[in-house]
Amino acid sequence: MTTLSLKNVTRRFGGLVAVDSVSFDIGSTGVTAVIGPNGAGKTTLFSLISGALAPSDGQIFLDGRDITGIRPEDVAARGLIRTFQLVQLFQNMSVLDNVKAGQHLHTRGGIFAALARPGWARREETQIEARAWELLEFVGLSDHAHAFATALPYGQQRLLEVARALAAKPKLLLLDEPAAGLNADETKRLSGIIRRIAETGTAVLLIEHDMTLVMNTADEVVVLDFGKKIAQGLPEEVQKNPDVLAAYLGGVEIGHG
Amino acid sequence: MTSLLATTLPSRFRWTDTLAWLPWIISAGIVGYAFLSGGYVVTLVVFALIYAVFVIGLNIFMGFTNQVSFGQNAFAAISGYTSAVLTTAYEWTTLPAIAVGVALAVLCAFLIGYPTLRLKGHYLAMGTLAIGLITYEISVEWSSVTQGYMGISGIPPLGIGAYEVTSDRGQLALLVVIVLILTFMSARIRTSRLGRAFFAVAGSEDAARALGVDVARYKLASFILSAACAALAGSLFVHVVGFVSPEVFGLHMVILSFTMLYVGGIGTVAGPLLGALIVSLLPDTFRAFKDYQDLAYGAVLILLLIYAPRGLAALFDRYVPAKKVGGAP
């Protein structure tokens, strides 16, 4: 069963081909990692999938439906939720409210519900509050629920962003360099959280530089270099692939973690 | 610019919690004093409360949603003039005239906001400024309806049907009720799904979109709510004063309302009311300084912005992002 399917996705910036006819499929479960040296086109690829950029060529399907070039909020509404390389929290809200805001897609009500507070709106508030606490518990942030998002240390801000993304009940969760700026302990904890997310039936696609995280977490690895897909397979296979070794530091073996 | 969203009360009572009531107590004190003393102070506070209506709206767009508009005076003008023309030339009663004025302003906000809100930051500021200036020019030039610089006089006072509120204290009481209702509404918006969407747009547009928040739609909703408050303020003004001219809704209104919003506390619930009262009364409290009155007023504003950069109401807010929480940095 395929969740995400890329068919010859290409993005050109003037003369530069940042993503060059990339195709791959992602199953409805498990963790897939996209790796590659700096400038390989990973972040551009993520922007194309999440709707922040439109591809110059090719098509992207989510659950068999064409999502090529639709707006980011519409991509999110179809169940594909992303996080950001530089954490993008709602700094003006508490930790708990960030996760409540993440449930926007699964709640309803506008100005009438806000002012008149009918019974269904009050019940919905209670439900999303309970769900927000569950998610904070899951990532280990429930002690800081009333703190401001910006008061959290960087590592915990990342976890909060993951909790907020999960609040949107994704079918596919896109994590953009989730381990960036984390220390070894925090990375290990994050790896555990990603595995548990995958076990609950949410497919995860992550871009990552941190090979330890990738080798310990991913079920499948896609390798990009100069915008092209050069390998795809199990972490152990990819690690030994000569093309991959050549792309990384001209042949040094990767992934001692 | 940070704004605060409060939802869940802390479980343990702290004495500092009572401080959160201080902006309300100060505001009630000022209004109460005006009510008892009568005369000139009542007039000042009545105008302050009309401005509070305007600023409550401005706060929804600028404080909650973190957008900028220098053109909300346009909606006050549209509704104010509609009220004035319907009650004088067409002899409507006050209430339906206000209702039509606000409805027309909201319609204009929708039509203007839809293309304008694609702009961001400084461009949005320039675009909205243009809306205010264009409306001003129309109110000057369309003299067959607005009577140009001469203005329209003889506008009937506030009232329902035959019952008219003409006394100073009566107007004051009515405006207190209106401001309290609007403040309550803004507090409810702040702690709802709608408010969270506004705050999400303010916090990070990219993240909001990635979570399925239709950013363009919520910006427009926030702009329309803001315009509705501005429109109501415009109509209230013309019925209280009994006269309207283009200058009433000029750039002066924009500057004054911005001062009130920042002094009171942008993004807070009590801020617009407190700011409107203080900024309206401050110049007069320095009357003893005679020639230096404006200087003293200016100095106090600067001190306020240095020592209370998020406004007076934020000084007493329990939900201030203060210390870092535990754990490795």
Side-chain angles (χ1 to χ4, degrees):
Chain A
M1 180 65 198
T2 310
T3 302
L4 183 73
S5 178
L6 273 65
K7 300 221 187 302
N8 302 317
V9 172
T10 302
R11 172 71 200 202
R12 284 180 286 269
F13 295 103
L16 176 82
V17 187
V19 174
D20 191 356
S21 197
V22 170
S23 303
F24 60 84
D25 290 344
I26 287 177
S28 55
T29 54
V31 179
T32 309
V34 176
I35 63 168
N38 279 327
K42 302 186 296 292
T43 297
T44 306
L45 185 68
F46 248 44
S47 300
L48 294 172
I49 296 170
S50 65
L53 280 175
S56 314
D57 225 330
Q59 283 172 303
I60 302 166
F61 296 91
L62 184 68
D63 280 340
R65 290 163 78 192
D66 193 345
I67 59 162
T68 318
I70 69 174
R71 302 183 305 167
E73 49 266 53
D74 298 328
V75 174
R78 304 217 178 149
L80 192 156
I81 306 291
R82 69 167 296 182
T83 65
F84 293 83
Q85 194 171 337
L86 295 166
V87 175
Q88 296 269 347
L89 292 174
F90 304 135
Q91 323 159 353
N92 45 356
M93 292 192 218
S94 72
V95 166
L96 185 67
D97 279 326
N98 263 274
V99 185
K100 283 163 93 174
Q103 300 178 63
H104 184 86
L105 278 170
H106 302 284
T107 48
R108 61 207 171 97
I111 186 72
F112 171 74
L115 297 179
R117 304 269 165 107
W120 62 261
R122 286 200 303 273
R123 280 192 295 279
E124 196 175 77
E125 268 309 291
T126 317
Q127 280 162 13
I128 67 165
E129 174 129 5
R131 175 81 181 132
W133 279 106
E134 272 173 37
L135 287 163
L136 287 180
E137 198 73 49
F138 177 69
V139 298
L141 285 178
S142 48
D143 288 347
H144 305 310
H146 295 297
F148 265 81
T150 42
L152 294 177
Y154 193 73
Q156 297 189 344
Q157 293 195 13
R158 285 232 168 257
L159 294 179
L160 175 56
E161 205 186 22
V162 171
R164 189 183 64 185
L166 288 177
K169 296 182 191 160
K171 286 179 201 149
L172 176 62
L173 178 65
L174 264 70
L175 302 172
D176 192 349
E177 297 205 18
L182 300 191
N183 64 31
D185 276 354
E186 289 170 328
T187 304
K188 202 172 162 190
R189 192 159 147 218
L190 181 73
S191 174
I193 287 172
I194 295 172
R195 282 310 321 171
R196 274 192 285 158
I197 292 169
E199 280 154 23
T200 56
T202 304
V204 179
L205 175 64
L206 60 97
I207 307 186
E208 193 47 74
H209 272 302
D210 188 302
M211 283 307 144
T212 319
L213 181 81
V214 171
M215 294 307 157
N216 289 342
T217 319
D219 299 308
E220 188 164 35
V221 178
V222 174
V223 189
L224 293 185
D225 192 27
F226 293 112
K228 288 196 168 73
K229 185 176 96 173
I230 59 169
Q232 179 171 7
L234 300 173
E236 310 83 76
E237 295 169 6
V238 165
Q239 241 171 326
K240 292 174 194 133
N241 185 313
D243 290 343
V244 177
L245 294 175
Y248 271 92
L249 298 170
V252 177
E253 196 182 341
I254 55 170
H256 293 288
Chain B
M1 176 167 24
T2 51
S3 333
L4 309 174
L5 179 68
T7 48
T8 323
L9 288 166
S11 52
R12 200 160 51 85
F13 178 83
R14 291 171 300 178
W15 71 271
T16 48
D17 289 359
T18 52
L19 281 181
W21 290 97
L22 213 52
W24 300 110
I25 295 167
I26 295 169
S27 303
I30 294 172
V31 174
Y33 169 75
F35 197 85
L36 294 176
S37 62
Y40 179 56
V41 191
V42 177
T43 313
L44 275 184
V45 172
V46 162
F47 285 127
L49 291 175
I50 293 172
Y51 261 99
V53 172
F54 187 92
V55 180
I56 287 168
L58 197 62
N59 188 39
I60 291 174
F61 191 59
M62 290 185 50
F64 293 4
T65 321
N66 196 17
Q67 303 298 303
V68 62
S69 172
F70 286 91
Q72 297 308 92
N73 58 332
F75 306 111
I78 291 167
S79 185
Y81 268 101
T82 306
S83 257
V85 170
L86 289 180
T87 50
T88 53
Y90 298 93
E91 295 181 346
W92 283 34
T93 54
T94 309
L95 212 54
I98 295 177
V100 170
V102 172
L104 190 64
V106 163
L107 180 67
C108 290
F110 178 79
L111 296 176
I112 294 166
Y114 194 76
T116 311
L117 295 177
R118 291 161 180 269
L119 302 172
K120 284 183 182 178
H122 295 111
Y123 300 97
L124 181 60
M126 295 303 288
T128 50
L129 183 65
I131 297 167
L133 294 175
I134 291 166
T135 313
Y136 177 84
E137 285 304 319
I138 292 172
S139 65
V140 172
E141 299 296 332
W142 195 11
S143 50
S144 60
V145 174
T146 65
Q147 301 180 25
Y149 286 117
M150 293 281 290
I152 301 169
S153 51
I155 303 166
L158 293 172
I160 299 165
Y163 177 74
E164 288 185 341
V165 183
T166 47
S167 77
D168 284 356
R169 286 194 172 91
Q171 286 177 342
L172 182 63
L174 182 63
L175 284 164
V176 166
V177 172
I178 292 171
V179 168
L180 284 179
I181 291 171
L182 289 175
T183 304
F184 176 72
M185 287 166 77
S186 111
R188 284 213 145 178
I189 288 172
R190 203 169 182 255
T191 55
S192 66
R193 176 176 183 264
L194 181 69
R196 280 194 297 271
F198 288 165
F199 273 73
V201 173
S204 164
E205 283 188 27
D206 285 338
R209 300 182 83 182
L211 293 164
V213 177
D214 190 335
V215 170
R217 197 176 142 190
Y218 281 95
K219 278 186 188 175
L220 187 61
S222 165
F223 187 66
I224 287 171
L225 286 173
S226 180
C229 290
L232 181 60
S235 277
L236 289 172
F237 189 95
V238 304
H239 289 293
V240 165
V241 179
F243 172 74
V244 64
S245 73
E247 302 303 329
V248 167
F249 305 117
L251 212 52
H252 167 75
M253 187 177 208
V254 177
I255 295 164
L256 201 56
S257 58
F258 268 58
T259 314
M260 289 166 172
L261 183 57
Y262 281 93
V263 166
I266 188 163
T268 64
V269 172
L273 173 59
L274 188 62
L277 286 170
I278 288 187
V279 172
S280 302
L281 296 174
L282 213 48
D284 276 276
T285 53
F286 295 121
R287 185 167 285 177
F289 287 67
K290 298 209 167 74
D291 289 351
Y292 301 102
Q293 186 181 341
D294 285 347
L295 198 67
Y297 172 57
V300 169
L301 286 185
I302 290 168
L303 287 174
L304 277 173
L305 289 177
I306 292 172
Y307 292 105
R310 293 190 306 111
L312 289 170
L315 285 180
F316 311 113
D317 206 309
R318 284 162 294 173
Y319 303 94
V320 177
K323 305 168 288 296
K324 286 263 175 193
V325 297

